[in-house]
Amino acid sequence: FFSAEMFAKLKAAVEKKEFPYKDYRQTGSVRVLDGVENHIESVLNIIPNIAQIRKKKYSIVVDAVGGAGREALPQLLDRLGCRVVPLYCEESPRGFPRAPEPTPSALREFGALVKKEKAAAGFALDPDADRLVVGSPKQGTLNEEYTVPLSLLGFLSAHKNDVKGKACQAD
């Protein structure tokens, strides 16, 4: 965001015409990128045990609330060999199909579906897909606050030989 001082400098430059007009057709080229595919590829490139995940053929419930993650998360899980059970993974032209915040009350249907499907896990998103709530086949929806600690425990479990007896250090 611009500060008042930065905005004043920009306004002055525009008023002085320090930014001459250029025809957009002469400024470069256009390249069409598939952002979802690029993101999936970047995630797949950092997962060290894809073959092991694919062998398990996990069933995963995905509740994307019709939001930004409705395509990427199911596609990523499919590429990991998972059976995806979609819930609200389609575009919703009339608003969100459930309350958008991934709270326990908004995720009752999700939690019940994770249990019913006996899924290995469930992943529920908020509309812009920057928050993740995990579902458990025994407990249904877990509190959002458990997502990071569960991820850390999973990482440490998978890398117990790498980190045993070593001090952890942030980059």
Side-chain angles (χ1 to χ4, degrees), residues 30-162:
V30 174
R31 197 168 45 131
V32 178
L33 302 173
D34 184 339
V36 170
E37 178 60 27
N38 287 350
H39 180 69
I40 290 170
E41 283 297 320
S42 70
V43 171
L44 291 173
N45 285 333
I46 62 171
I47 297 175
N49 58 339
I50 290 177
Q52 293 167 316
I53 294 170
R54 287 181 177 146
K55 273 186 195 176
K56 295 283 189 177
K57 300 185 186 312
Y58 293 112
S59 289
I60 308 290
V61 173
V62 175
D63 176 348
V65 74
R70 72 180 182 273
E71 295 176 22
L73 184 54
Q75 286 179 36
L76 172 63
L77 293 168
D78 182 64
R79 301 257 299 269
L80 287 169
C82 299
R83 180 180 75 91
V84 176
V85 179
L87 177 64
Y88 306 133
C89 290
E90 59 281 330
E91 188 174 358
S92 181
R94 292 189 177 90
F96 300 114
R98 64 157 167 83
E101 294 304 311
T103 61
S105 62
L107 297 175
R108 284 191 184 112
E109 185 179 1
F110 163 75
L113 187 58
V114 173
K115 286 180 175 180
K116 177 184 164 214
E117 290 288 329
K118 296 181 174 91
F123 300 129
L125 305 172
D126 70 331
D128 63 354
D130 69 345
R131 286 185 288 153
L132 173 76
V133 174
V134 178
S136 157
K138 291 182 181 172
Q139 296 192 339
T141 304
L142 302 178
N143 185 303
E144 178 182 5
E145 299 300 321
Y146 292 128
T147 303
V148 172
L150 285 171
S151 299
L152 178 61
L153 288 171
F155 174 83
L156 291 174
S157 174
H159 298 285
K160 59 186 164 210
N161 294 330
D162 299 337

